[in-house]
Amino acid sequence: MAVRRRIRSPKRRRKKFTRGMTITLFLFLVFVFILFIVLLGRIYFLNRDHGDTYKKRVFSQQSYTNTILKFRRGAIKDRNETILAQSVRRFNMVIEPRTLLKDPDPEVKTETFAKLTQYFAIDANKLDQLVSDNPESMYLHVEGQKELKKEQITGFTEEMDKNKKVKGVWFEETFQRVYPLDTIACSVVGFTSSENEGTYGIEGSYNDQLNGQTGREYGYFDNNMNLQRTVKKATNGNTVMLTIDANVQRVIEQQIKKYNKDVGAKNIAVMVMDPNNGEILAMASKNSFDLNNPRDLSLMYTQEEIAGMDETATAKNLMSMWSNFCIASSYEPGSTFKPFTVAAALDEGVIKDSDYFSCSGVMKVAGEDIHCSVRQGHGSLSLQQCMMESCNSALMQIGAKLGRNKFSKYNQIFGFDQKTGIDLPGEMVGSIHTKEELNPVELATSSFGQSQAVTMVQMLSGFASLVNGGDYYQPHLVKEVQNESGAVVERVNPVVVKKTVSDHTSQLIRKYLLATVKEGTAAPAQVKGYTIGGKTGTAQKIPRADRKYLLSFIGCVPAENPQVVFYVIIDEPNVEDQAHSTYATEFSSKIMKRILPFLGIYTEAQPEGSPEPSPEATEKPSGEATPEPSPKATKKPSAAKATPKATSESEG
């Protein structure tokens, strides 16, 4: 039997912690302690002697790292490069409360506040409160110290350069939108919000072109306090060149203000266009506001009226003031619509130049009497005389010959009840009868411009095609877009949208319009030395019983080969008897006499035998048979007048 033996492991010896080792450990701990004390002391002295330097480095890094560089919004200029809107360099004051509060020198804050008070008249107590309320901020704007001009900050910045106790203040570069001509073309130009976004007008519709792209600056201070920067430059916006002529626009706006002061009206509006390319040369209305202060209602309302407005009324009145009547309001055009009806009938071949029409003063349509502008009737009239005398009966006969289908077709061809596509926001379309709605009465009244609503831009664009040979150009206000260097990046070329009438029809319409001004109802629209063609309108507004009128004149010059078409509206003139087209024709004559030279259209020898404007040779609505008064008249003519039924009131 085997015997197991127990094998014992060798006995381990325990090491002793000798006295020498204890002394070594103690000395090492003493050394570490002394080193720690030295480091603490070093930190203390560094903080005492150089703490400001290191704080400045840290704070400066925070101030310069990832800074946004703002772009300059592009300018808006007229066709002659007159500046209508531009962005100018300005500066916003920025203070650094943490820099001021944590500086070891107590005089820094005191001296800085003193200099701010000296150069900017800032209340030192308010500054102190502002800094105390935001002790950790390194970026704080000061109320009332934004958009400062260079000359406003120069003195202070020079003081900072030489006075080392003035710290914690710098000036942020920004741009302020300014409008050098104040109110001129306000509804066309529009304005910007505080966020640099376009509001209304060209500022709104071309916002993307006018705005550029922001840049960025990345930076830090190296060990020697030198700023190391990486800059991605901002891209400035493009400049938008308009078709508007600022001189023409100014003259028109001045005449509108003068008329409103001398006579007054609910609204006055004027448009001028080049019929051969669709360029809008001027667009103005009674509504006016200062582009540099667009929320100021004082140009349209008295201080008493403004004080009485609540928040809702203020907002409503601002929207009304900013509205562009020429594109955003619709109305019954009256007899200025007659050239369209005649042109459509000529083009369709249902009438011809040699046709005659009979007018007894009234027509029965579907059992209803509809009167002509001359109650006793015009008798027998040629087609040209129908236009010259503005005969409603003849137009109703022409409308009946066209029929509902063709009349509706030409409404579409001329662009009514459609947006023209003009490059402005807020365009309306009006209200035109559908083919199914053109029953005999509606067809009759529509033929002479009643019961359908249009806009000024629709009327003038269609009228331009009537007199230029039949080419319908899309109306536009922008001529081209240029980059910061002046190179053209986008050119707005004329766009012929469609053909409305034949060249032969256009020739006849021009002949009729010239005769209307030379011998017919539009005689007061003449301008000595020029051949003017055009058509008047005296539209009785709804409700008819109120006997309120919208007066108008639409015309072209020179009549034989139009280079300019224009449209004048006076809505509810402030006179006792409104129903006279003379108010619009005489106003038109005053305007055209002043603006045509600006447009490069100069006087020519007046044809022999041309009659001078005569107040008697004017359009008479609703049976008026007496001479019309001048626009300043406030009394009714002495002759009695018939009072027709409101439902069948005719218009001339």
Side-chain angles (χ1 to χ4, degrees):
M1 181 177 178
V3 179
R4 292 182 179 178
R5 292 183 179 180
R6 186 177 180 182
I7 301 175
R8 295 180 180 179
S9 61
K11 189 176 182 180
R12 294 180 180 178
R13 295 181 180 180
R14 296 180 64 182
K15 293 183 179 181
K16 294 183 178 180
F17 199 84
T18 65
R19 185 170 179 275
M21 293 173 66
T22 302
I23 294 172
T24 300
L25 178 61
F26 175 78
L27 292 175
F28 176 77
L29 291 175
V30 169
F31 174 78
V32 170
F33 180 77
I34 293 172
L35 181 61
F36 181 73
I37 296 298
V38 171
L39 287 174
L40 286 177
R42 180 60 177 165
I43 291 172
Y44 170 80
F45 287 111
L46 282 174
N47 186 59
R48 186 191 69 180
D49 298 333
H50 305 288
D52 184 56
T53 300
Y54 292 111
K55 281 194 294 183
K56 180 179 179 182
R57 181 182 301 178
V58 172
F59 294 162
S60 296
Q61 280 184 275
Q62 292 176 353
S63 298
Y64 285 96
T65 298
N66 200 20
T67 302
I68 293 176
L69 302 178
K70 296 184 178 181
F71 59 81
R72 184 198 295 267
R73 187 174 171 90
I76 300 175
K77 300 180 180 180
D78 85 333
R79 64 189 303 114
N80 302 312
E81 299 200 5
T82 301
I83 296 174
L84 302 175
Q86 64 179 338
S87 292
V88 295
R89 198 180 307 276
R90 293 289 185 260
F91 301 90
N92 296 333
M93 181 187 292
V94 177
I95 61 173
E96 301 172 348
R98 184 160 53 169
T99 298
L100 295 171
L101 292 174
K102 296 192 176 182
D103 195 286
D105 187 351
E107 292 185 8
V108 165
K109 187 179 81 167
T110 304
E111 185 70 8
T112 300
F113 284 4
K115 294 303 178 183
L116 286 172
T117 300
Q118 176 185 342
Y119 286 97
F120 299 100
I122 304 174
D123 189 323
N125 292 328
K126 290 184 177 180
L127 268 177
D128 190 48
Q129 185 64 46
L130 184 66
V131 169
S132 299
D133 291 344
N134 303 273
E136 296 301 316
S137 175
M138 288 295 293
Y139 182 89
L140 194 64
H141 283 128
V142 181
E143 184 180 356
Q145 302 302 317
K146 289 186 177 182
E147 297 182 345
L148 301 171
K149 297 179 181 179
K150 180 69 174 178
E151 55 267 26
Q152 291 178 277
I153 70 171
T154 300
F156 183 82
T157 54
E158 290 176 351
E159 182 71 32
M160 286 187 70
D161 290 340
K162 64 184 180 182
N163 188 346
K164 300 306 178 184
K165 291 189 177 182
V166 179
K167 301 179 181 179
V169 181
W170 54 284
F171 296 92
E172 172 188 59
E173 185 180 88
T174 186
F175 294 97
Q176 180 187 12
R177 198 66 168 168
V178 297
Y179 303 89
L181 300 186
D182 299 324
T183 62
I184 300 300
C186 55
S187 60
V188 172
V189 175
F191 52 91
T192 59
S193 67
S194 57
E195 289 77 30
N196 215 25
E197 292 295 313
T199 305
Y200 298 98
I202 295 298
E203 292 276 31
S205 58
Y206 277 77
N207 185 66
D208 291 342
Q209 289 278 15
L210 290 163
N211 270 348
Q213 293 182 337
T214 56
R216 287 191 179 273
E217 179 183 61
Y218 306 90
Y220 65 93
F221 283 90
D222 61 19
N223 292 332
N224 296 318
M225 289 303 293
N226 295 317
L227 180 62
Q228 305 298 322
R229 295 191 295 183
T230 300
V231 179
K232 179 186 176 183
K233 291 184 177 180
T235 303
N236 292 330
N238 293 326
T239 292
V240 175
M241 304 286 293
L242 302 186
T243 61
I244 290 286
D245 187 310
N247 290 319
V248 172
Q249 185 79 22
R250 186 195 302 273
V251 169
I252 291 173
E253 291 186 18
Q254 288 173 343
Q255 290 300 307
I256 289 175
K257 289 178 182 177
K258 185 177 186 304
Y259 187 93
N260 195 53
K261 180 180 178 182
D262 295 343
V263 181
K266 181 178 180 180
N267 208 340
I268 309 166
V270 179
M271 281 187 68
V272 183
M273 178 193 284
D274 185 334
N276 302 306
N277 56 23
E279 292 182 356
I280 304 295
L281 304 174
M283 178 185 283
S285 68
K286 178 184 172 183
N287 288 358
S288 181
F289 58 93
D290 186 353
L291 288 166
N292 292 297
N293 188 12
R295 295 187 174 275
D296 179 11
L297 287 162
S298 62
L299 290 180
M300 296 291 295
Y301 302 92
T302 65
Q303 291 301 324
E304 290 76 15
E305 289 173 331
I306 295 172
M309 296 177 190
D310 58 17
E311 187 174 338
T312 302
T314 298
K316 180 181 178 181
N317 290 328
L318 282 172
M319 295 295 290
S320 175
M321 183 175 71
W322 296 335
S323 176
N324 186 338
F325 180 89
C326 299
I327 66 169
S329 296
S330 60
Y331 54 89
E332 290 182 330
S335 289
T336 50
F337 193 85
K338 290 176 180 176
F340 295 95
T341 303
V342 172
L346 284 169
D347 230 47
E348 283 295 316
V350 299
I351 62 172
K352 54 185 182 295
D353 182 43
S354 58
D355 285 350
Y356 275 77
F357 300 85
S358 178
C359 172
S360 63
V362 63
M363 277 187 63
K364 188 174 288 293
V365 180
E368 185 171 351
D369 288 341
I370 303 178
H371 293 273
C372 186
S373 55
V374 176
R375 289 305 179 88
Q376 63 270 31
H378 288 103
S380 180
L381 296 172
S382 68
L383 183 57
Q384 177 172 296
Q385 289 171 330
C386 293
M387 189 87 79
M388 290 169 55
E389 301 300 327
S390 199
C391 178
N392 289 350
S393 295
L395 266 294
M396 287 188 278
Q397 295 170 51
I398 293 171
K401 287 177 178 289
L402 267 173
R404 62 159 58 172
N405 291 343
K406 292 178 180 177
F407 190 91
S408 179
K409 181 182 79 170
Y410 275 87
N411 268 343
Q412 297 298 313
I413 289 174
F414 291 129
F416 301 122
D417 203 26
Q418 306 165 36
K419 289 187 177 182
T420 64
I422 191 171
D423 42 2
L424 281 178
E427 182 182 6
M428 302 294 286
V429 296
S431 177
I432 297 296
H433 292 305
T434 64
K435 179 174 61 177
E436 292 71 26
E437 293 170 342
L438 282 172
N439 297 314
V441 171
E442 286 73 25
L443 179 60
T445 56
S446 296
S447 69
F448 56 82
Q450 189 173 288
S451 78
Q452 298 194 122
V454 298
T455 66
M456 284 190 77
V457 69
Q458 287 175 341
M459 284 288 288
L460 194 59
S461 300
F463 181 79
S465 75
L466 288 185
V467 300
N468 72 5
D471 292 327
Y472 186 103
Y473 285 94
Q474 183 173 359
H476 61 279
L477 282 148
V478 173
K479 198 174 185 70
E480 63 185 29
V481 179
Q482 301 174 353
N483 64 19
E484 188 179 8
S485 302
V488 176
V489 297
E490 180 183 333
R491 182 171 280 110
V492 181
N493 295 312
V495 176
V496 179
V497 179
K498 52 194 168 185
K499 190 79 171 177
T500 58
V501 295
S502 68
D503 186 63
H504 177 65
T505 295
S506 180
Q507 290 178 22
L508 290 175
I509 294 297
R510 293 198 298 270
K511 184 182 78 167
Y512 301 159
L513 294 172
L514 176 59
T516 302
V517 175
K518 287 177 65 177
E519 306 172 46
T521 59
Q526 293 184 64
V527 179
K528 188 174 181 180
Y530 295 93
T531 55
I532 307 287
K535 185 69 189 76
T536 52
T538 310
Q540 188 171 11
K541 300 174 68 174
I542 296 174
R544 312 292 185 199
D546 288 352
R547 303 193 67 78
K548 301 291 185 181
Y549 291 85
L550 183 143
L551 313 174
S552 59
F553 179 72
I554 195 165
C556 58
V557 59
E560 302 86 349
N561 181 28
Q563 303 302 306
V564 170
V565 292
F566 55 94
Y567 193 15
V568 171
I569 281 179
I570 300 178
D571 186 11
E572 297 185 25
N574 188 24
V575 294
E576 190 173 351
D577 185 9
Q578 297 178 0
H580 301 286
S581 61
T582 305
Y583 298 116
T585 50
E586 289 188 352
F587 184 61
S588 171
S589 178
K590 290 178 181 178
I591 288 176
M592 298 311 294
K593 179 172 63 178
R594 289 167 171 79
I595 71 172
L596 288 174
F598 283 116
L599 297 173
I601 302 175
Y602 301 100
T603 58
E604 55 192 40
Q606 198 170 12
E608 291 184 6
S610 293
E612 292 297 320
S614 168
E616 285 79 11
T618 56
E619 183 180 349
K620 315 280 194 306
S622 308
E624 294 291 349
T626 55
E628 293 190 55
S630 68
K632 291 186 179 181
T634 57
K635 294 183 179 180
K636 294 182 180 180
S638 58
K641 58 183 178 181
T643 306
K645 294 194 302 180
T647 56
S648 61
E649 180 70 11
S650 63
E651 178 280 349

